[in-house]
Amino acid sequence: MSELLISDDCKQQSYISSNTTEVDVDYYSKEYTDILKQSQVCNQHMENYENFCINHEKPSCKQCVLEHHNKCGESVIPIEKACQNCKRSMTIQEVHGLICNMFKGIELIRDDRKDYLSSIHEQTVKIMTQIHEARQNVDEYLDKDQKRSTEKINDTLQVNDEMNMMSKIDRTLQNLERDMKDSVLISTAIKVIKKSRVEGLEDVKELKIRIDLETKKIRTTFKTHLDTIQQLLTEELDNIKKDAFTNEEALNAVLLEIERKMEMYKFIICRVEKESTDQDAFLVIKTIEEEVIKANESVQAINLDKTSISCKIDPKIENMIPSSSSFGCLNIKMKESAVCLPSRKLNQAQTIISVPVVNIANVTLLLKKTINTRGKCIEGCCLFDDGKIAFSDIEQSHLIVIKKGSGYYTVPISPPPNGIAVIDTITVAVSAEGTPPHVISIVNIKTKAIVEKITIGYPVDGIIFNTEFLFYTARENGIQKYNLAKKEKVAGLNCNTQRYAKLDMLGNKLYFNDASDHAVTCFDISKGKTYWQFRDTKVLKRPLSIATDKYGNVFVADFIQHEVILLSADGKVHKVLMSSEDGLFHPKTLFCSKTDNYLLVANKQENAFLYKLKYS
């Protein structure tokens, strides 16, 4: 039996592919049963899952713990503890968000490919017109040349009737060769006739007939040759167009299969929410999450480069030399697509929301890299999925992008940049603090271009990107939202923020600092009120930046004390994680990668530090 795949409840929860029509619910019900069984058992050891490792975010059987998690200590917890209140946590909504991003990414690819095929068609039409015009010019030239040649022959033959026959023929050929040296047909015909040493020519009338025959013969040869080389060029162009359309058909088949799987996962999630226990739901969601991440990686790896075609007509053809060996050549260049696909890190799936608070006493740092930022006043920083690191320097009015291997480059920004938020692997949003004009700049760090400026109308300090929204601190205007997809402002949050306030987000919680009040606030978006606040003038002298890890622990950069303070997820416990002994001197900004467990901390000038977070 067939019916609509997604229930009305599920459709209200998240984005559904525009290609969703009717599906076999019986088939997906069977898939649900299969994945429910498979998710309970370790594929490697064929034993039931009994534990969950917080460090690796993976369920594990007894054998897995011995082989892979023997150094994870307290991070390995019973599976029952990990899945507590799973169906009431943010877990399912976050995986819904991942699937939602997949549909959006596929739609972006389809729109991009549609524009690409339209462009290929327009380019081929333009080139075909160029080829036909060049051929028409050559044909018109040869027509005029042949007509002019005939008239000149008739005129020349009337000269010196009293000369003997051979002298008259010689003089006629000389006159034609002199007067018609720019004629392709005549000059070629005379060369042919001269080779025969005018044998067999009894009078000039026969010479005229001979020249006429030769010019027509040459014209026919030229036409055949031009037809051949023009056809070769046309066939090459047709093959390029055909290959483009064939590749797009294959890509569309891949996208349809991925969509089918995403639709199936949405169906299974709906069943899980209604029918399964917390433990079953947790394991199924973890299994689906892994599959969605794999699918996302395959989509991110799709080559979306575009072929750009131009044609250069052979100069000999343009100069009316029809004996050219080529009609022209096609210039083919590959251009990168400008489409920006949603990446996993944009909506870091907090699948372990229900896991108990991590003891911050066990949190340690492993230094991976010390970075020379070359900055004079670093205000913001971020990490990209592909390993790049970016810093905003408000004094030098540019972004500093550190490449994954080595080397760096700068991206000029005006007005000077303050906060920075990753949108995708080549795009960031940059705030401008109190410097007019009050805008948020959307910057392509690859092309070094500001692709859009969003007018805000008031100073903006901190900024983050989550799903399709920009969240930013706007001082007395509180925390505001902007829908980047729809390009419109959305109702903000009723919470007061001060200058230098930076922010981060985890699930339905927003975190921001108050430098003048020596405080850090956790704000519950779903309830519209403060969840907790940490305020201690002895601990926080001038907190200028914050970031959260995947467990809700909060890292705070204290500018005056040259420290990074770690606050527990409930805001009740704190400890000094870094100090001046670790190289900190006026730390101004930090960033935490929730998927990779990396912490990036940057001083106002010169050095930044990249650490791996350890939880045991």
Side-chain angles (χ1 to χ4, degrees):
M1 93 180 162
S2 293
E3 60 182 51
L4 284 177
L5 171 61
I6 307 299
S7 68
D8 291 339
D9 290 341
C10 290
K11 285 182 179 179
Q12 291 173 3
Q13 289 180 29
S14 56
Y15 180 90
I16 302 296
S17 165
S18 58
N19 293 296
T20 302
T21 53
E22 292 187 346
V23 297
D24 190 340
V25 173
D26 288 341
Y27 172 76
Y28 287 131
S29 294
K30 180 181 179 301
E31 290 292 314
Y32 163 71
T33 302
D34 291 344
I35 199 170
L36 187 61
K37 292 178 181 178
Q38 294 168 8
S39 64
Q40 311 294 317
V41 180
C42 170
N43 291 331
Q44 183 179 357
H45 304 110
M46 302 310 295
E47 295 180 6
N48 285 341
Y49 289 125
E50 296 184 6
N51 301 288
F52 185 84
C53 179
I54 298 174
N55 282 349
H56 296 91
E57 295 189 9
K58 287 187 176 182
S60 56
C61 66
K62 290 181 179 179
Q63 196 64 25
C64 284
V65 173
L66 294 174
E67 293 180 7
H68 307 300
H69 307 286
N70 58 337
K71 295 182 180 181
C72 295
E74 294 180 3
S75 295
V76 177
I77 61 177
I79 194 72
E80 296 85 1
K81 198 172 184 180
C83 66
Q84 287 174 357
N85 302 317
C86 171
K87 293 199 288 184
R88 294 186 296 278
S89 72
M90 292 294 292
T91 303
I92 292 178
Q93 285 71 24
E94 293 288 354
V95 177
H96 263 301
L98 287 175
I99 296 174
C100 182
N101 270 353
M102 288 294 296
F103 283 125
K104 290 179 180 178
I106 289 172
E107 184 172 340
L108 286 172
I109 290 175
R110 283 205 174 97
D111 289 343
D112 179 74
R113 296 296 91 181
K114 181 179 179 181
D115 291 342
Y116 169 53
L117 292 181
S118 177
S119 173
I120 284 287
H121 176 71
E122 291 173 0
Q123 291 177 66
T124 54
V125 169
K126 181 180 179 180
I127 292 172
M128 286 302 299
T129 300
Q130 185 181 358
I131 293 171
H132 287 308
E133 287 178 352
R135 176 59 187 274
Q136 185 177 3
N137 290 338
V138 173
D139 288 342
E140 289 177 356
Y141 168 78
L142 291 175
D143 287 341
K144 291 178 182 179
D145 190 23
Q146 189 167 6
K147 181 180 179 181
R148 189 164 60 98
S149 300
T150 301
E151 292 172 351
K152 188 63 179 177
I153 291 171
N154 291 334
D155 293 341
T156 304
L157 290 177
Q158 296 175 6
V159 178
N160 264 335
D161 289 336
E162 296 178 358
M163 294 175 63
N164 65 60
M165 191 60 59
M166 292 305 296
S167 296
K168 189 170 185 178
I169 290 174
D170 288 339
R171 176 61 61 86
T172 299
L173 289 175
Q174 289 175 3
N175 290 343
L176 286 173
E177 195 170 21
R178 181 196 65 210
D179 297 338
M180 299 294 290
K181 62 181 179 180
D182 61 336
S183 170
V184 176
L185 296 176
I186 286 294
S187 58
T188 306
I190 289 176
K191 288 179 182 178
V192 173
I193 292 172
K194 276 187 171 183
K195 283 183 179 180
S196 67
R197 305 295 296 174
V198 298
E199 292 177 3
L201 293 178
E202 296 180 0
D203 57 33
V204 290
K205 290 183 179 179
E206 191 171 332
L207 175 63
K208 175 182 179 300
I209 294 172
R210 180 72 178 272
I211 293 176
D212 282 340
L213 288 173
E214 288 296 338
T215 54
K216 289 178 180 179
K217 181 180 178 182
I218 293 165
R219 176 66 191 276
T220 301
T221 301
F222 280 164
K223 180 181 182 303
T224 301
H225 176 65
L226 289 171
D227 286 344
T228 300
I229 60 176
Q230 180 180 346
Q231 182 63 26
L232 290 173
L233 185 60
T234 303
E235 287 177 356
E236 183 182 357
L237 183 63
D238 287 340
N239 287 335
I240 293 173
K241 181 178 179 181
K242 182 180 178 181
D243 288 344
F245 277 80
T246 300
N247 292 338
E248 295 312 308
E249 287 177 2
L251 174 59
N252 190 53
V254 171
L255 296 179
L256 284 172
E257 177 59 21
I258 293 174
E259 274 187 322
R260 185 195 67 79
K261 288 184 177 180
M262 295 305 107
E263 290 164 348
M264 179 183 71
Y265 293 147
K266 292 185 74 66
F267 175 84
I268 292 173
I269 290 173
C270 289
R271 288 281 298 270
V272 162
E273 288 183 287
K274 294 178 180 178
E275 303 173 12
S276 299
T277 64
D278 272 341
Q279 181 167 325
D280 287 346
F282 181 78
L283 291 172
V284 167
I285 294 301
K286 284 299 298 178
T287 300
I288 289 176
E289 182 196 20
E290 289 183 6
E291 292 302 317
V292 174
I293 290 172
K294 288 179 184 177
N296 180 61
E297 289 172 351
S298 66
V299 169
Q300 294 283 342
I302 291 174
N303 185 357
L304 297 178
D305 290 351
K306 299 180 179 182
T307 301
S308 175
I309 321 168
S310 61
C311 180
K312 173 66 176 175
I313 301 299
D314 192 288
K316 289 184 178 180
I317 297 294
E318 291 179 333
N319 294 326
M320 306 306 168
I321 304 176
S323 58
S324 170
S325 60
S326 168
F327 202 92
C329 63
L330 297 178
N331 298 317
I332 302 171
K333 294 182 179 180
M334 300 306 295
K335 297 170 60 179
E336 288 191 2
S337 171
V339 64
C340 297
L341 301 179
S343 71
R344 184 194 173 202
K345 191 167 284 189
L346 305 183
N347 311 288
Q348 297 172 350
Q350 184 57 20
T351 58
I352 316 300
I353 293 292
S354 56
V355 173
V357 174
V358 170
N359 186 350
I360 66 169
N362 297 327
V363 178
T364 57
L365 299 174
L366 175 63
L367 181 63
K368 305 298 289 186
K369 183 188 298 185
T370 299
I371 304 159
N372 180 4
T373 65
R374 300 168 179 84
K376 292 186 177 180
C377 188
I378 300 298
E379 289 289 344
C381 65
C382 60
L383 292 167
F384 292 84
D385 278 354
D386 58 4
K388 294 193 301 292
I389 302 174
F391 302 93
S392 56
D393 189 327
I394 196 169
E395 186 170 329
Q396 299 187 91
S397 295
H398 63 210
L399 300 181
I400 303 164
V401 182
I402 310 296
K403 299 178 182 179
K404 183 178 181 180
S406 60
Y408 77 101
Y409 60 92
T410 60
V411 181
I413 303 291
S414 179
N418 185 4
I420 180 172
V422 178
I423 295 177
D424 56 50
T425 54
I426 62 171
T427 314
V428 295
V430 180
S431 63
E433 200 206 29
T435 306
H438 300 305
V439 298
I440 291 175
S441 300
I442 307 301
V443 184
N444 185 316
I445 62 171
K446 189 167 188 178
T447 62
K448 302 182 182 181
I450 297 176
V451 297
E452 181 183 359
K453 286 191 175 182
I454 304 167
T455 301
I456 302 300
Y458 38 75
V460 173
D461 296 293
I463 186 169
I464 59 172
F465 179 74
N466 185 276
T467 312
E468 59 188 18
F469 294 102
L470 289 171
F471 291 81
Y472 50 92
T473 55
R475 301 184 186 181
E476 64 271 12
N477 294 291
I479 295 178
Q480 297 294 317
K481 291 172 64 177
Y482 182 85
N483 189 315
L484 198 56
K486 296 182 179 179
K487 300 187 182 303
E488 63 183 15
K489 290 183 180 180
V490 185
L493 306 176
N494 185 25
C495 53
N496 189 34
T497 60
Q498 301 298 321
R499 187 181 181 185
Y500 304 119
K502 300 297 171 65
L503 75 167
D504 203 352
M505 188 174 187
L506 181 67
N508 61 352
K509 303 292 193 306
L510 267 173
Y511 304 80
F512 56 92
N513 59 288
D514 187 330
S516 59
D517 199 32
H518 319 283
V520 170
T521 300
C522 174
F523 189 86
D524 191 324
I525 298 174
S526 61
K527 296 179 180 179
K529 63 180 183 180
T530 297
Y531 187 63
W532 58 256
Q533 184 179 71
F534 179 90
R535 184 178 181 277
D536 190 329
T537 56
K538 294 180 180 179
V539 177
L540 299 178
K541 296 295 184 182
R542 194 161 182 77
L544 288 189
S545 184
I546 66 166
T548 64
D549 65 7
K550 60 187 176 184
Y551 305 115
N553 301 313
V554 184
F555 303 90
V556 188
D558 193 301
F559 184 77
I560 291 179
Q561 298 190 120
H562 316 297
E563 292 177 343
V564 169
I565 311 298
L566 176 59
L567 304 178
S568 61
D570 57 5
K572 296 180 180 179
V573 183
H574 70 274
K575 77 171 187 177
V576 176
L577 194 63
M578 294 177 64
S579 68
S580 57
E581 294 180 358
D582 302 297
L584 293 188
F585 185 73
H586 294 315
K588 288 207 74 174
T589 181
L590 40 75
F591 179 92
C592 183
S593 168
K594 298 175 179 63
T595 52
D596 301 325
N597 296 333
Y598 281 108
L599 179 67
L600 176 65
V601 184
N603 288 332
K604 178 182 177 180
Q605 296 178 346
E606 296 182 355
N607 287 338
F609 308 93
L610 181 63
Y611 288 94
K612 183 72 173 180
L613 289 165
K614 298 291 184 179
Y615 291 93
S616 60

